[in-house]
Amino acid sequence: MAIKSDRWIREQAGKGMIEPFSEKQVRDGVISYGLSSYGYDLRVSDEFKIFTNVNSAIIDPKNFDERSFVSVQADAIIVPPNSFALARSIEYFRIPRDVLTICVGKSTYARCGIIVNVTPFEPEWEGFVTLEISNTTPLPAKIYANEGLCQILFFQSDEVCETSYADRAGKYQKQQGIVLPKL
């Protein structure tokens, strides 16, 4: 299994793997996004769900209470101290059958105590990415919409998997918005 380069990512984007696709790093006055040497920095949309404990809900992945979040559409949000928010990517992804991705945070946010967690995009998964943004600091943290949030690394296997995410009808396949936990 090898990490894929900018040439391969550009070629696959031309076949619909990433839409919209930014062929170069956009950096002027924004937290960078777009194609890099061995990855793609995705952008966070202006749709967010910010965690709140105002309703004293319990976080239960088997019975998730939507009252745990406040929905916000904005150019930037504030994630409360020691809290988190969900968001979605601007880009829509279609992962090839022999590819797995891993997402890592961007250094600009990481140096501010912001951690981005995204599970791997499995072979033949497609959709907008639900992004988990954690503020590990005791201070409020600002997140900017329409700018880079994390980097996707693409790994291509030396053989095609027997069963893909699409084959098993994964529960997060073709997700459109911010998708909360499903059982």
Side-chain angles (χ1 to χ4, degrees), residues 49-59 64-71 80-85:
K49 291 190 180 289
I50 303 170
F51 179 74
T52 179
N53 64 358
V54 73
N55 295 311
S56 299
I58 295 173
I59 301 299
F64 196 81
D65 187 343
E66 289 194 39
R67 296 178 309 150
S68 300
F69 290 102
V70 174
S71 295
N82 302 305
S83 191
F84 77 100

Side-chain angles (χ1 to χ4, degrees), residues 31-94:
I31 297 173
S32 63
Y33 63 88
L35 185 62
S36 63
S37 303
Y38 289 98
Y40 188 84
D41 293 3
L42 66 72
R43 292 172 288 170
V44 63
S45 78
D46 63 355
E47 299 171 30
F48 299 92
K49 291 190 180 289
I50 303 170
F51 179 74
T52 179
N53 64 358
V54 73
N55 295 311
S56 299
I58 295 173
I59 301 299
D60 182 349
K62 290 185 175 185
N63 185 22
F64 196 81
D65 187 343
E66 289 194 39
R67 296 178 309 150
S68 300
F69 290 102
V70 174
S71 295
V72 176
Q73 188 165 9
D75 291 333
I77 61 156
I78 302 298
V79 180
N82 302 305
S83 191
F84 77 100
L86 296 178
R88 77 161 177 89
S89 63
I90 288 176
E91 294 84 358
Y92 189 92
F93 288 84
R94 292 175 188 86

Side-chain angles (χ1 to χ4, degrees), residues 1-181:
M1 186 171 275
I3 191 166
K4 302 312 287 183
S5 73
D6 49 5
R7 286 186 204 99
W8 181 91
I9 296 166
R10 185 181 300 109
E11 177 185 305
Q12 294 302 308
K15 297 176 182 177
M17 183 176 75
I18 305 170
E19 293 180 283
F21 177 71
S22 184
E23 197 165 318
K24 61 182 174 86
Q25 281 268 306
V26 176
R27 303 167 62 138
D28 292 334
V30 299
I31 297 173
S32 63
Y33 63 88
L35 185 62
S36 63
S37 303
Y38 289 98
Y40 188 84
D41 293 3
L42 66 72
R43 292 172 288 170
V44 63
S45 78
D46 63 355
E47 299 171 30
F48 299 92
K49 291 190 180 289
I50 303 170
F51 179 74
T52 179
N53 64 358
V54 73
N55 295 311
S56 299
I58 295 173
I59 301 299
D60 182 349
K62 290 185 175 185
N63 185 22
F64 196 81
D65 187 343
E66 289 194 39
R67 296 178 309 150
S68 300
F69 290 102
V70 174
S71 295
V72 176
Q73 188 165 9
D75 291 333
I77 61 156
I78 302 298
V79 180
N82 302 305
S83 191
F84 77 100
L86 296 178
R88 77 161 177 89
S89 63
I90 288 176
E91 294 84 358
Y92 189 92
F93 288 84
R94 292 175 188 86
I95 304 304
R97 190 174 181 97
D98 60 348
V99 172
L100 179 81
T101 74
I102 293 177
C103 175
V104 293
K106 291 185 62 62
S107 60
T108 301
Y109 279 122
R111 293 167 197 227
C112 295
I114 304 300
I115 307 297
V116 178
N117 181 39
V118 177
T119 57
F121 308 170
E122 294 190 45
E124 291 191 323
W125 174 82
E126 76 171 80
F128 290 101
V129 183
T130 296
L131 305 158
E132 299 86 23
I133 305 164
S134 296
N135 176 3
T136 65
T137 76
L139 303 171
K142 194 169 191 176
I143 306 295
Y144 293 92
N146 303 306
E147 298 188 20
L149 183 71
C150 53
Q151 184 176 69
I152 306 301
L153 306 176
F154 299 84
F155 295 91
Q156 188 172 36
S157 178
D158 54 358
E159 64 181 343
V160 174
C161 63
E162 188 174 297
T163 306
S164 74
Y165 195 79
D167 293 341
R168 65 177 181 273
K171 61 187 172 185
Y172 299 110
Q173 184 72 318
K174 297 184 181 181
Q175 61 190 20
Q176 293 298 309
I178 300 170
V179 178
L180 298 178

